[in-house]
Amino acid sequence: KAARVSVNLGYHTAGECVVEASRDAQRWQSVGRLGKLGTGSFELPDALFPAEQVYVRLRSPGDGDPLGDAAPGIITVHYGDA
């Protein structure tokens, strides 16, 4: 059975929101990115399962972003749903 996480950006003027998932809160896997208003729904990798819990984090790509969007961004997450 597939698992997904959904994130809604309700305010956005710059930057991106990186969505990542982990089994242990140490090794993170990117599952998606949002760079505009709206909802993104991302499938979690099969490698995370089976698991008793899965951690999800939302972050700015920052200065190390390989896509070149180094701005930390100005965003508001209205909700996240897993």
Side-chain angles (χ1 to χ4, degrees):
K1 182 177 179 176
R4 302 184 72 77
V5 61
S6 297
V7 177
N8 179 268
L9 293 186
Y11 180 81
H12 175 270
T13 61
E16 285 193 312
C17 176
V18 178
V19 182
E20 298 174 319
S22 172
R23 290 177 63 165
D24 60 8
Q26 300 295 315
R27 295 173 304 232
W28 295 93
Q29 297 180 46
S30 178
V31 296
R33 296 170 82 105
L34 290 166
K36 61 181 180 179
L37 291 178
T39 301
S41 183
F42 309 102
E43 189 166 337
L44 298 179
D46 290 339
L48 292 175
F49 301 99
E52 287 188 31
Q53 60 189 3
V54 174
Y55 298 89
V56 174
R57 80 175 172 188
L58 309 175
R59 67 174 183 84
S60 166
D63 291 337
D65 182 30
L67 297 180
D69 186 1
I74 302 171
I75 61 173
T76 300
V77 176
H78 282 198
Y79 72 82
D81 187 28

